[in-house]
Amino acid sequence: MMIGPLRVDEDVLAAGVPSLRVVSTASVGVDHVEVEIFKKYNVRLGYAPHVSNLEATAELTVALLLAVSRRIVEASNGVKSGGWTPDLLANHWVKGQGLYDSTIGIIGYGRIGHSVAVKLKSFSPKQILYYSRKEKPNGAEIGAVFTDLDTLLQTCDFIILTILATPETKGLISREKISLMKRNAIFINTARGVLVDQDALTEALQQGKILGAGLDVTCPEPLPLDHPLHTLKNCVILPHMGDATSKGTEEKNCQAAKNIIAVWKGAPMPAEYPL
């Protein structure tokens, strides 16, 4: 069985036994899969941890950050609705916040977090801070500074969430943590929606407690059209497209297929998720 990011629970596996031998997901993450039940049904799990997806997600993270910080979507909509006038003073609504000489914080310094940091380094920020389980040598190599989560939230102008979603990190960006952010802070999430207290984030944006947010992920997905986040000019929402490049999608699908073929041939799976 080859799947995309659809929910794979016990009902799915139970419906496939006894002939079901392998499930292969065309994704890097497996948070949509109830991994713990695979041993019960003696079913193997394949996935697609490709480097191209890593870079695509990092690129999208930077693009989303720029879209929010420079108010690109809002400005484009303003032009289309007649908001652009010859009076430069009247165009104050296009003034965004630059990355130069700013402090950037990255929560979760894995491969994606590091790639984002490398790319943002070229914008000459004053400092890049990061929070992770431990200090990372590749962070020190580019001058990124390891710190605790509260210090990062209190200090940074831009806060980027790229941490892996686990039971321990679910709800990491709580109402309390959001309250630590600066009023000029811009929050970017290209990880998972369950990591954030979405109601608290919505209120912070509505009340001007933080400056803006860019979300490639929400909870649920897709976000209902009547959700208040859709009404906010200071929030850009994307359809979970972080790794959605034509090349990356093709490679993920091929990897998922190769996993299945390997199992049926009795060969080692190229990318088997450890159960």
Side-chain angles (χ1 to χ4, degrees):
M1 176 190 296
M2 188 170 76
I3 60 168
L6 301 176
R7 187 70 188 167
V8 181
D9 55 19
E10 186 164 9
D11 290 341
V12 174
L13 295 194
V17 295
S19 59
L20 182 62
R21 295 172 56 189
V22 58
V23 170
S24 189
T25 176
S27 63
V28 177
V30 294
D31 52 298
H32 58 297
V33 176
E34 290 186 10
V35 176
E36 64 277 2
I37 65 172
F38 275 69
K39 284 187 177 181
K40 174 181 176 181
Y41 288 94
N42 195 29
V43 174
R44 297 166 67 184
L45 175 61
Y47 69 136
H50 282 303
V51 174
S52 60
N53 293 331
L54 145 72
E55 290 300 330
T57 302
E59 290 170 1
L60 190 279
T61 301
V62 175
L64 185 53
L65 175 58
L66 290 170
V68 179
S69 65
R70 295 302 303 272
R71 302 172 71 171
I72 291 172
V73 175
E74 183 182 352
S76 178
N77 290 338
V79 170
K80 294 175 182 178
S81 62
W84 187 13
T85 72
D87 183 359
L88 294 178
L89 294 178
N91 291 329
H92 62 87
W93 51 272
V94 301
K95 294 179 181 177
Q97 183 165 296
L99 300 180
Y100 175 77
D101 202 35
S102 67
T103 301
I104 298 171
I106 300 174
I107 301 172
Y109 206 82
R111 294 186 301 161
I112 292 174
H114 177 65
S115 182
V116 169
V118 170
K119 290 170 175 54
L120 291 178
K121 186 77 173 177
S122 66
F123 289 88
S124 300
K126 179 169 60 179
Q127 190 174 43
I128 296 178
L129 304 180
Y130 71 93
Y131 166 75
S132 193
R133 286 181 295 179
K134 59 182 180 180
E135 191 168 2
K136 302 294 183 72
N138 56 358
E141 288 172 3
I142 66 165
V145 178
F146 177 61
T147 189
D148 62 273
L149 181 57
D150 286 2
T151 297
L152 185 151
L153 294 171
Q154 293 168 335
T155 306
C156 291
D157 305 301
F158 302 97
I159 298 166
I160 302 165
L161 188 62
T162 62
I163 203 166
L164 186 67
T166 66
E168 292 73 29
T169 59
K170 183 178 180 181
L172 177 69
I173 307 302
S174 62
R175 182 177 297 274
E176 177 188 0
K177 297 303 184 186
I178 292 171
S179 71
L180 298 177
M181 298 180 188
K182 298 162 64 174
R183 293 189 72 87
N184 72 320
I186 288 175
F187 175 71
I188 304 297
N189 185 6
T190 53
R192 289 292 186 271
V194 295
L195 297 167
V196 181
D197 183 332
Q198 197 162 269
D199 290 339
L201 178 64
T202 302
E203 291 174 17
L205 291 166
Q206 289 172 326
Q207 297 169 14
K209 294 180 179 178
I210 64 173
L211 188 59
L215 309 174
D216 187 40
V217 290
T218 58
C219 192
E221 292 181 351
L223 195 65
L225 293 179
D226 60 354
H227 195 283
L229 280 175
H230 286 304
T231 68
L232 302 179
K233 291 182 178 180
N234 59 345
C235 184
V236 175
I237 304 173
L238 300 180
H240 202 152
M241 55 184 283
D243 63 354
T245 63
S246 55
K247 179 181 179 182
T249 300
E250 180 180 351
E251 287 184 353
K252 285 191 299 180
N253 290 339
C254 287
Q255 181 66 79
K258 288 177 181 178
N259 287 335
I260 293 174
I261 292 170
V263 171
W264 285 106
K265 286 185 174 181
M269 203 186 308
E272 182 166 5
Y273 191 84
L275 300 176

